[in-house]
Amino acid sequence: MSPVRFILVGLGARSRIWRRVIADHPDCEVVGVAEPDPHRLHHVLDDAAAPKGGDGSTPAADLIGGTRLEEVAAEVEADVALLCTPPTRREEQIGAACAAGLAILAEKPLADSLASAEAHVVEAERAGVPLAVGLNFRYLAVTQALRRLLLDGRIGRPEFARFTYERWRDGRQPRLNSYPLTMAHPMLWEQSIHHFDLMRFVYDAEPVRVTARTFNPSWSMYEGHANVAALITLTDGIEVTYQGTWAGNWQEMGFEWRTECERGIALQRHMFGDLGWAERDDPEIRSVPLPEHEPWFDDARGLLADFVERFSDGRPLPCSGRDHLQSLRLVDACIRSSERHATIEIARA
Ligand SMILES: NC(=O)c1ccc[n+]([C@@H]2O[C@H](COP(=O)([O-])OP(=O)(O)OC[C@H]3O[C@@H](n4cnc5c(N)ncnc54)[C@H](O)[C@@H]3O)[C@@H](O)[C@H]2O)c1
């Protein structure tokens, strides 16, 4: 099989994971990079040109660099544009990928407004360009195991759940992106989007309505709302109580996702693992064995493997842009619910 050739667009925090993951995949290569920041661009180009093996004998990669996707796509043959850029103002990148006939793998969220995301999906469909969104948390072993546990019927059908994610996220750290510091709803667009996608994926259900409140605690470093509290109704009548924050006031992370089913519960106590289940009268949780996992890398590897396999077979891509719109509709509905102090019905596309 000939390698799938990627142009990496945006060379910030997230691209570091993708560069390693693509390099590790036997059937993938990065052939081009686009980044407006000259320091970041030259760092990556110099790194690619540096000898790799201990004896310095490994040939240097012929990596094409430029400040914009359009420019790089004109200079190198490629198959996929991998967007690791902030979600704001991706119009030019989507347009350039469509014009060059490149498939798109866009980091979540596809855009920072529902209208823009819908426009990107329609533009890609019209251009006949497949569009996938990087929802790596679906590929965690714990997520796959939780989904199987709920689908195999052992503890019956899920009826309600509590999902809590409490994190002190220091957005000023150099290893993290800083643009969320000035977003209107950083928690919802940047983080809850993963959680909403996980709920849909694990329960195989779609959002129906939501009552939400977003706010910002006094000590938050974010200009926009770092807190989200929501009561979410999904299809099949599943009710989820959700609390998410980037301004939890302890540096230790709090994560718990407890699903109440007809005969017992499923309990995930860590975002990367620690899954168990119990029937109503069990004295203790029964732990679900999970494989060793390298956080952030193995989930991206799983996503890439699935993407490449389907892309190479010409099958529909995983986590399609159109599917992602359902999660973005829930984000958008949370914002409207909080602004209007109202319950919002979520239209199905
Ligand atoms: N899936 C995950 O778990 C995960 C984790 C972190 C970030 N992300 C997502 O990855 C995306 C990027 O985040 P990040 O942390 O790398 O942000 P970042 O700010 O660290 O890096 C973004 C880079 O894109 C560059 N850029 C901006 N406009 C560009 C353009 N038009 N063309 C080319 N490059 C451009 C910026 O100069 C910057 O170097 C966001 O959508 C974010 O939500 C996903």
Side-chain angles (χ1 to χ4, degrees), residues 246-268:
W246 269 1
N249 223 355
W250 185 31
Q251 60 167 337
E252 285 298 309
M253 171 91 179
F255 181 100
E256 193 164 291
W257 184 5
R258 174 169 158 151
T259 305
E260 311 282 333
C261 304
E262 287 164 313
R263 288 186 291 284
I265 66 158
L267 183 61
Q268 184 182 338

Side-chain angles (χ1 to χ4, degrees), residues 9-14 34-36 40 84-87 90 93 107-109 134 136-137 177 179 190 194 296:
V9 188
L11 298 176
R14 184 68 185 157
E35 165 62 57
R40 288 183 174 180
C84 292
T85 49
R90 279 185 173 158
Q93 299 155 52
E107 265 301 342
K108 47 50 66 175
N136 46 306
F137 281 82
N177 51 37
Y179 65 85
E190 288 289 316
H194 276 305
W296 305 112

Side-chain angles (χ1 to χ4, degrees), residues 8-16 18 34-37 40 66-69 83-90 92-93 107-109 134-137 169 175-179 189-190 194 296 299:
L8 205 48
V9 188
L11 298 176
R14 184 68 185 157
S15 72
R16 291 196 280 271
W18 279 118
E35 165 62 57
D37 179 324
R40 288 183 174 180
T67 53
R68 290 160 59 230
L69 172 58
L83 309 186
C84 292
T85 49
T88 318
R89 291 189 299 276
R90 279 185 173 158
E92 189 188 294
Q93 299 155 52
E107 265 301 342
K108 47 50 66 175
L135 293 156
N136 46 306
F137 281 82
R169 182 187 187 271
R175 68 178 182 84
L176 295 176
N177 51 37
S178 56
Y179 65 85
W189 292 109
E190 288 289 316
H194 276 305
W296 305 112
D299 36 301

Side-chain angles (χ1 to χ4, degrees), residues 4 42 69 118 144 152-153 156 185 204 239 250 294 311 322:
V4 179
H42 287 113
L69 172 58
E118 285 171 341
Q144 304 273 336
D152 78 10
H185 286 281
D204 198 13
E239 303 282 354
W250 185 31
E294 185 184 10
F311 177 80
R322 191 154 281 287

